[in-house]
Amino acid sequence: PSIWGKISTFFQVAAVLLVLLRAAAQSDVATAFLLHGLELAALGLTVFFTVWSGVHYTIRGIRMIKAARCVAG
């Protein structure tokens, strides 16, 4: 686990909660509008941190493979 994976998970959960809150607040236009903006921000951050987490895990994996090759000879 890395900090990037944890941040990614946080924003994934936040995005889901905001979608559910907005669905529950459909009758209140102002609240729904605010939640929609927060939802879009959370979704954008979710995409960013999920991609970055994947890149980070890939880099870590490549380094681990290279280190194992050096040790193996």
Side-chain angles (χ1 to χ4, degrees):
S2 76
I3 188 67
W4 302 114
K6 294 183 185 308
I7 292 171
S8 172
T9 300
F10 170 80
F11 281 111
Q12 290 167 0
V13 171
V16 169
L17 290 175
L18 287 166
V19 168
L20 293 174
L21 279 172
R22 187 169 63 98
Q26 292 263 334
S27 60
D28 182 0
V29 175
T31 303
F33 184 75
L34 173 65
L35 289 173
H36 180 68
L38 291 173
E39 178 186 325
L40 289 176
L43 288 172
L45 289 167
T46 297
V47 169
F48 174 79
F49 283 111
T50 300
V51 170
W52 177 247
S53 176
V55 168
H56 183 251
Y57 279 121
T58 301
I59 291 168
R60 282 178 51 184
I62 290 169
R63 287 180 182 161
M64 290 172 72
I65 292 169
K66 286 181 180 180
R69 286 183 182 164
C70 288
V71 171

